[in-house]
Amino acid sequence: MQIVNYLRATLCNSSNAAFKLALHAPKYATLAHKIISFKNIHASFTLQVNNYKMNNTCHSADKTSYSKKIDESFQKINKYNVFLDKLDFIMPNSDDYYSIGPSFSANNACVNETQREKRDFAVPEK
């Protein structure tokens, strides 16, 4: 079953499959975190675009359709936030996690800055 979830997570970018895969095999937690974070960012962008379009349209039918799209975006964002909160418990707490890929939050950026400072000012061992 993990093979199916892995394929769905990587090929189809399925957030549900990525989350299930991370639950069964914590070594895939970073993959799941990247997929879900990207989908969360995309849903937030879609929410902003639809909100802008709804506020700048004249027709009530268009406003209704944009309102439905906004509700769908809110539901997706909430789902992704729940997944990301649960993944925080699965993710390893080592410093290696933060250097794997691009960071999507301010916390990761702060840790990466701290790591850079430690690396730059490290005294070589004799």
Side-chain angles (χ1 to χ4, degrees):
M1 193 64 176
Q2 288 182 8
I3 295 171
V4 173
N5 284 334
Y6 179 77
L7 290 175
R8 284 181 55 214
T10 55
L11 298 177
C12 303
N13 290 330
S14 171
S15 59
N16 289 326
F19 182 70
K20 288 177 185 177
L21 183 66
L23 288 179
H24 291 294
K27 68 180 181 178
Y28 294 113
T30 55
L31 172 70
H33 192 271
K34 287 180 183 180
I35 290 172
I36 295 170
S37 295
F38 179 76
K39 290 181 77 102
N40 192 13
I41 291 169
H42 183 264
S44 298
F45 178 74
T46 304
L47 173 70
Q48 291 174 355
V49 168
N50 287 327
N51 192 22
Y52 176 79
K53 287 180 179 180
M54 185 179 80
N55 291 333
N56 292 325
T57 188
C58 298
H59 304 291
S60 63
D62 290 340
K63 287 188 177 187
T64 304
S65 70
Y66 288 128
S67 176
K68 289 179 183 177
K69 290 179 182 179
I70 288 172
D71 290 341
E72 291 172 1
S73 294
F74 269 124
Q75 290 174 356
K76 287 181 182 180
I77 291 170
N78 288 334
K79 178 178 81 169
Y80 299 145
N81 285 335
V82 168
F83 283 166
L84 290 172
D85 288 342
K86 290 181 180 180
L87 277 176
D88 286 341
F89 291 110
I90 299 171
M91 300 287 284
N93 290 331
S94 67
D95 291 339
D96 295 337
Y97 160 69
Y98 295 106
S99 63
I100 288 175
S103 59
F104 293 109
S105 68
N107 292 337
N108 292 350
C110 293
V111 171
N112 284 336
E113 282 297 319
T114 305
Q115 282 182 327
R116 276 191 222 112
E117 290 173 6
K118 287 180 183 177
R119 185 184 66 223
D120 291 341
F121 298 109
V123 177
E125 294 180 12
K126 294 182 181 179

